[in-house]
Amino acid sequence: MSATDIGTLIVKLPETLGGRPRIAGTRVSVQRITVWYKLGLNAEEIAERMGNVNLTQIYAALTYYHAN
């Protein structure tokens, strides 16, 4: 099992989503994950609903939200 640098999971590029933070390799914004989290969904439920992101990516987005 290899370690993942969580700093690589969230990116901000001016040309994508207006520079808002998003999950790397997707167009899923941290804000989108955060909205579902604030509605009461847990990380597993969000990942299940999204389908195109995994649990590690969801936790990275939530960590970014809580840290910023």
Side-chain angles (χ1 to χ4, degrees), residues 2-61:
S2 63
T4 300
D5 178 3
I6 64 168
T8 63
L9 298 176
I10 304 297
V11 295
K12 289 180 8 177
L13 299 171
E15 64 273 7
T16 308
L17 297 179
R20 291 184 312 212
R22 64 180 172 87
I23 296 173
T26 74
R27 294 185 57 84
V28 178
S29 69
V30 169
Q31 180 182 13
R32 183 173 177 192
I33 301 300
T34 302
V35 166
W36 283 3
Y37 175 73
K38 287 181 175 183
L39 288 173
L41 277 72
N42 65 35
E44 290 81 4
E45 292 167 328
I46 296 169
E48 187 177 302
R49 285 190 183 199
M50 298 288 301
N52 63 332
V53 293
N54 63 43
L55 198 52
T56 302
Q57 293 168 312
I58 299 295
Y59 278 117

